[in-house]
Amino acid sequence: MSHEQYQSVIQSLQECMEACNHCYDACLQEDNVKEMVECIRLDRECADICRYLEQTLGRGTPFSKELAKVCAQICQACGNECKKHDHDHCQKCADACFRCADACKSIA
């Protein structure tokens, strides 16, 4: 598939990466930052894999299905963790992660 065929997935990846980066930064500012460690860690993992998959889809990787499967798993894990926290940034991140996981599953 050409990168044009992945446009909606690429958009979801971009939105998820931005939400995770925002959540990561906001979690570091929380008073209970020690309780946010897993959320912070998964935000970083998720943002990194989303950025990587976005780049590889843009250049037509032959490993799109395999990478999308891994990305979906990481997005799901990040969304599940963020959903545990009541902070608005975590809830918005969870929503973006779940949307991205679904988009990745559609090509995996």
Side-chain angles (χ1 to χ4, degrees):
M1 284 185 135
S2 68
H3 71 278
E4 289 90 5
Q5 294 170 303
Y6 290 124
Q7 277 311 113
S8 65
V9 176
I10 289 171
Q11 181 66 34
S12 292
L13 290 164
Q14 181 67 33
E15 290 169 3
C16 186
M17 181 182 64
E18 289 173 5
C20 286
N21 283 331
H22 174 72
C23 188
Y24 167 85
D25 187 56
C27 284
L28 288 173
Q29 307 306 312
E30 294 294 339
D31 292 334
N32 59 342
V33 72
K34 287 184 178 183
E35 294 174 22
M36 306 304 294
V37 169
E38 188 65 8
C39 189
I40 293 166
R41 186 183 70 75
L42 285 169
D43 282 337
R44 292 300 331 131
E45 294 288 335
C46 193
D48 287 348
I49 191 66
C50 286
R51 183 185 73 234
Y52 182 71
L53 181 57
E54 179 184 9
Q55 291 171 348
T56 61
L57 290 176
R59 65 177 176 254
T61 181
F63 302 104
S64 59
K65 290 181 181 183
E66 294 85 355
L67 292 170
K69 182 178 178 182
V70 171
C71 190
Q73 292 170 335
I74 294 171
C75 288
Q76 189 70 44
C78 188
N80 289 340
E81 179 61 30
C82 284
K83 206 67 171 163
K84 294 177 186 176
H85 305 284
D86 291 332
H87 309 291
D88 186 55
H89 58 86
C90 288
Q91 295 300 309
K92 288 180 180 177
C93 186
D95 292 342
C97 287
F98 294 143
R99 283 192 304 273
C100 191
D102 288 343
C104 288
K105 288 174 190 174
S106 75
I107 64 169

